[in-house]
Amino acid sequence: MGERVLLVGSGGREHAIAWKLRQSAKVDEVFVAPGNAGTARLGTNVAVQPKDIDGLAKAARELRITFYLASMDDPQPLGLVDRLSAEGILCYGPTAAAAQLEASKAFSKEFMVRHGIRTAAARTFSEYGAARAYVESLQGRPLVVKASGLAAGKGAIVCANESQALEALDIIMLRRDFGSAGNTVLVEERLVGWETSCHAFCDGRTALMMPFASDHKRAQDGDIGLNTGGMGAYSPSERVSQALADEVRRDVVERTVAGMAAEGTPFAGTLFPGLMVTEAGAHVLEFNARFGDPETQVLMPRLESDLFEVCQAAAQGRLNEVRVSWSERPTVGVVMASGGYPATYKLGHLIEGTDGIDPDVHVFHAGTKDDTRGLVTNGGRVLTVVASGSTLAEARARAYDNVKRIHFTNAHYRTDIALRAVK
Ligand code: AMP
Ligand code: GLY
């Protein structure tokens, strides 16, 4: 009997992973909670929300799930992996204890200091007055103020001056825009450099690096506008040399895996450090304990190995037996979003043209659903259109050529995804 795999989430990331899992001869069926119209075409959507651990555990039992693949952040700190493992379901993902690497920036900062992993200097506060006094004592030094807990990628406020830093403390600690995620704040030195995303498969002892990818977080061309979940991505990252990749593997990823094991909370699952490369080398801005979105949409089409087999080996602690191969062909993914995202936007616009795209180009769904009219928008980020090419420039041109064939009212996408990399 083949595997019955559970994914939790409803992003382009989950659609891309579901698409890749369906290529595995070992996988019989893919279930996605709650999923979107794209995942419904590849498997079965399950009407349970990502933070409903009881509901997910119940669904896993009823659906006779044999494998859980963790892709998004929410369920792991709430203990979904611990829970499903106890019920005999093999899981690829961190336990609640290991997921603290992402769920608590205070924990991960202290962890990095304990293990000599390069990161921005920071201090942690749970009392507003003390945080304020500290910011004032720094006399206008460039800072980033962060809510310690999970804040849907929006909890870091980059500050240009002291008054902005004080305002950030107000937003997080007094106005409580991020709720209890802001019970503790980090006041962090602001680094200057360029960013890239690293992903690695981990099994508690061994880590296998994926290719590097770069995303574009701001809503508008030229990296202006509000921070979003990500407006597009490409892989490989043209600026990451082999020497830098080796440094990140050794000094960030392997040190993290060894440190977590030494502390009795081995890390299994996808480790995704967000990095800032400065003149002094790569610094960890944050750890994510999951796959990136939209990075995953540009990584899955490059993965030549069987994703299920790699994750299964990691879940069984035998990643050292596995080789993972990746296509040399670069990929570019452009996110099509609802006009207004990440602020307010309307739902329910008809999406047309997805049947007219090139056969080897992927349209990974995020905020979509099917209603009586057909496919309609149902979220901020709607689709990621991913193309490959013999060069990054060709992949980029093909992605945009296909984006232009898809239409919905007020569609918004950036026109400069991967542009700096092909210049
Ligand atoms: P985070 O959620 O911690 O990854 O932060 C979100 C974004 O804020 C990052 O992608 C960076 O662009 C920026 N950022 C975070 N920390 C720093 C830092 N110490 N220095 C400069 N920029 C930062
Ligand atoms: N693309 C950034 C993230 O997934 O957090």
Side-chain angles (χ1 to χ4, degrees):
M1 204 191 72
E3 302 282 344
R4 299 165 67 80
V5 183
L6 176 67
L7 298 174
V8 176
S10 57
R13 167 182 57 201
E14 282 71 34
H15 188 185
I17 291 172
W19 165 78
K20 190 65 200 169
L21 286 173
R22 287 304 305 261
Q23 293 168 17
S24 172
K26 294 192 168 161
V27 174
D28 256 8
E29 201 161 351
V30 178
F31 298 86
V32 191
N36 55 41
T39 60
R41 286 161 170 71
L42 291 170
T44 306
N45 286 352
V46 182
V48 182
Q49 292 305 312
K51 289 185 181 171
D52 179 2
I53 301 304
D54 291 336
L56 290 169
K58 182 163 170 275
R61 245 182 341 263
E62 286 170 1
L63 298 168
R64 291 172 290 113
I65 296 298
T66 59
F67 193 90
Y68 170 56
L69 194 163
S71 54
M72 76 165 314
D73 49 352
D74 280 335
Q76 284 67 243
L78 299 172
L80 185 61
V81 165
D82 311 64
R83 181 85 169 260
L84 297 182
S85 302
E87 297 193 12
I89 296 171
L90 194 60
C91 294
Y92 173 72
T95 59
Q100 288 305 301
L101 262 190
E102 171 167 10
S104 167
K105 287 183 192 285
F107 170 86
S108 71
K109 186 65 72 175
E110 286 159 20
F111 174 86
M112 287 188 268
V113 171
R114 281 199 294 282
H115 294 280
I117 296 165
R118 216 188 269 138
T119 183
R123 282 186 54 184
T124 302
F125 298 92
S126 48
E127 205 255 304
Y128 174 76
R132 194 177 166 94
Y134 178 65
V135 166
E136 283 166 350
S137 78
L138 295 177
Q139 299 181 319
R141 216 183 297 161
L143 296 174
V144 182
V145 177
K146 299 183 178 183
S148 176
L150 289 179
K154 296 178 188 122
I157 303 176
V158 179
C159 308
N161 52 43
E162 183 179 303
S163 74
Q164 285 185 7
L166 293 172
E167 192 188 330
L169 287 178
D170 286 358
I171 290 169
I172 299 172
M173 300 188 92
L174 300 183
R175 242 167 67 186
R176 301 185 63 77
D177 277 16
F178 309 109
S180 62
N183 286 352
T184 301
V185 295
L186 277 77
V187 177
E188 188 165 301
E189 152 204 28
R190 181 169 167 190
L191 302 173
V192 178
W194 53 274
E195 292 182 52
T196 185
S197 302
C198 159
H199 285 71
F201 296 106
C202 303
D203 72 354
R205 285 175 301 173
T206 303
L208 278 182
M209 301 281 282
M210 302 186 209
F212 282 73
S214 294
D215 78 346
H216 296 67
K217 288 203 171 74
R218 299 297 196 96
Q220 310 294 338
D221 283 7
D223 291 327
I224 60 171
L226 293 172
N227 254 326
T228 71
M231 292 300 293
Y234 59 92
S235 177
S237 292
E238 82 293 354
R239 291 170 96 171
V240 179
S241 64
Q242 189 57 50
L244 180 64
D246 289 342
E247 177 197 314
V248 171
R249 176 180 48 74
R250 196 184 56 230
D251 297 344
V252 176
V253 174
E254 291 178 354
R255 221 174 263 189
T256 301
V257 170
M260 290 297 279
E263 295 188 4
T265 50
F267 186 91
T270 299
L271 182 67
F272 157 25
L275 302 168
M276 174 85 83
V277 184
T278 74
E279 281 172 1
H283 292 64
V284 176
L285 292 180
E286 64 166 348
F287 280 118
N288 299 295
R290 55 170 173 90
F291 285 89
D293 187 330
E295 288 90 336
T296 303
Q297 292 93 303
V298 295
L299 289 172
M300 289 301 115
R302 294 190 61 199
L303 177 58
E304 290 170 340
S305 308
D306 181 324
L307 176 67
F308 178 79
E309 285 182 358
V310 177
C311 294
Q312 184 187 45
Q316 294 170 334
R318 46 177 193 81
L319 209 46
N320 60 335
E321 297 170 10
V322 169
R323 283 185 62 88
V324 183
S325 63
W326 299 90
S327 164
E328 294 288 328
R329 286 168 67 80
T331 45
V332 173
V334 177
V335 169
M336 298 184 75
S338 297
Y341 170 79
T344 53
Y345 47 84
K346 289 209 173 99
L347 304 179
H349 295 303
L350 192 63
I351 303 168
E352 291 174 297
T354 52
D355 44 5
I357 60 144
D358 294 338
D360 63 335
V361 169
H362 306 283
V363 177
F364 294 124
H365 294 216
T368 64
K369 70 172 185 183
D370 287 305
D371 76 6
T372 50
R373 292 167 295 160
L375 185 67
V376 300
T377 64
N378 192 40
R381 291 190 290 179
V382 177
L383 304 166
T384 313
V385 178
V386 182
S388 61
S390 52
T391 61
L392 201 61
E394 188 188 313
R396 180 174 189 277
R398 296 193 62 225
Y400 277 109
D401 181 42
N402 282 270
V403 162
K404 287 178 188 136
R405 301 179 206 172
I406 300 175
H407 301 279
F408 55 90
T409 305
N410 285 334
H412 166 66
Y413 58 87
R414 280 182 58 162
T415 65
D416 63 348
I417 301 303
L419 183 60
R420 62 173 182 240
V422 302
K423 268 193 173 158

